[in-house]
Amino acid sequence: MKIVSGIQSSGKMHLGNYFGAIVPFLSFQDQGDSLLFIANLHSLTTIRDASKLKSLALDIALDYLALGLDPEKTTLFKQSDIPEVTELYWYLTSITPISLLNTKAYQDKINNKIPNDVGLFTYPVLMAADILLYDADIVPVGKDQVQHIDLVRDIAIKFNIAFDSNYKPGKISGIFKLPSAVTSDVYSIVPGTDGNKMSKSTGNVIDIFSEDKIIHKQIMGIKTDSLSISDPKNINAPLFQLMKLFFDIEQDQSIKEGGIGYGNYKQMLIDMFHAKFDEARLKRKHLINDLGYVERVLIDGRNRARENAKSVIERVRQAVGV
Ligand code: ADP
Ligand code: TRP
C-alpha cells in the first residue's frame, strides 16, 4: 500500500496540525510504503521571502523528525526537489475544467485576503500532481483537506478518460490510480484557544515547539466563562476539549460536579502538554545542532521519491505524446 501526504510549510506547528494531520500520518508509517513531502511550492501562494520559505521548510522537517517520523520507513522530501511534479502539474492543468477549481477552500482563502493569483486557484491541481505522481492508495490528511482529495480523484478520472481508451471507471483501472483520503475521527477539528478551529491565521494556537513561557501564555489565554470554582463546568468549553486531546475527560467527575477552578485545569493542561511533548521538544533541539543529518535525510528522500515517480511520469508522457 502506498501512503502519500504533504504539509504546507507556512508557520509554526500547532496542536491542530499535530492531532489533525501528523498523528494520522504517523499511524500509517508501519503499514506500507509511505512518502511525506514538505509542500514548499504550495507555500509560494502566501510567502514571498526566499529565506523565510527556506527556513520554514527546514522547520517542518525538524518538526516531523522530532515527533517520530522515521526516515528509514518514510521517504521525507521537499516538493520542490522533484521536477516531475511541476511537469505533471502542467499535464493535469491542461485537462482540468476551470469550474472544478472554484472550491470552498479557494473562496475562504480569498476572503482571508490571500492574493488571488493563478497559483492559488490551481492549488488543488498541484496537489493532484503530488499524489498521482506516486500512485498513492491513501492520503492521510486533516478534515479540511478532504475536499481537495475528492478533486484529485475527479482530475485523475478526467485524465484517464481523456488519454486511456481502455479505461472503464470502477472496472478497468486507468493511467492513474484513484487515491482515497483518510482522516482521524478522533481529532477531526482541534479547537483553538478562543473555541474556533485552531489555525495559524487566526492566532488562536498552542504551539508545540515554542519556548515554555510562550506555551504557558497560550494555554493560560484559553477563553473561559466567569463561573466560580464551586460551579459545575461545561465539558464542551474549549479548555476541556483541548484537555480531551490528552486524556479521557469523561473520567474526571470534577468537571461536571464543580470544585476546581479554571486556573487549576489550565495548569493540568500545561503539565499534560509537557508530559506528552517534552521528549520531542528535546529531540528537536538536538536535531538543530545536526542540520547536516537533516539535509542528508532530505537528499536521500529526494532520490527515493524520484525513483518512485519514474514509472508514472513515463506512463503519462507516453499517454499524452511528449
Ligand atoms: P493552519 O490552519 O494553521 O494554517 P494548515 O492549513 O497549514 O494549518 O494545516 C496543515 C494540516 O493540519 C492540514 O492537514 C490540516 O487539515 C491540519 N489542521 C490544521 N488545523 C487543524 C485543526 N484545528 N484541527 C485539525 N486539523 C488541523
Ligand atoms: N494542502 C495541504 C496543507 O495545507 C498540503 C498538501 C499539498 C498536501 N499537497 C498535498 C496534502 C498532497 C496531502 C496530499 O497542508
Side-chain angles (χ1 to χ4, degrees), residues 5-8 37 39 42 123 127 130-131 139 141 145 149:
S5 195
I7 185 152
Q8 198 182 312
F37 58 89
H42 279 108
Y123 185 109
M127 283 185 70
D130 289 329
I131 294 167
V139 187
V141 278
Q145 295 296 318
I149 312 304

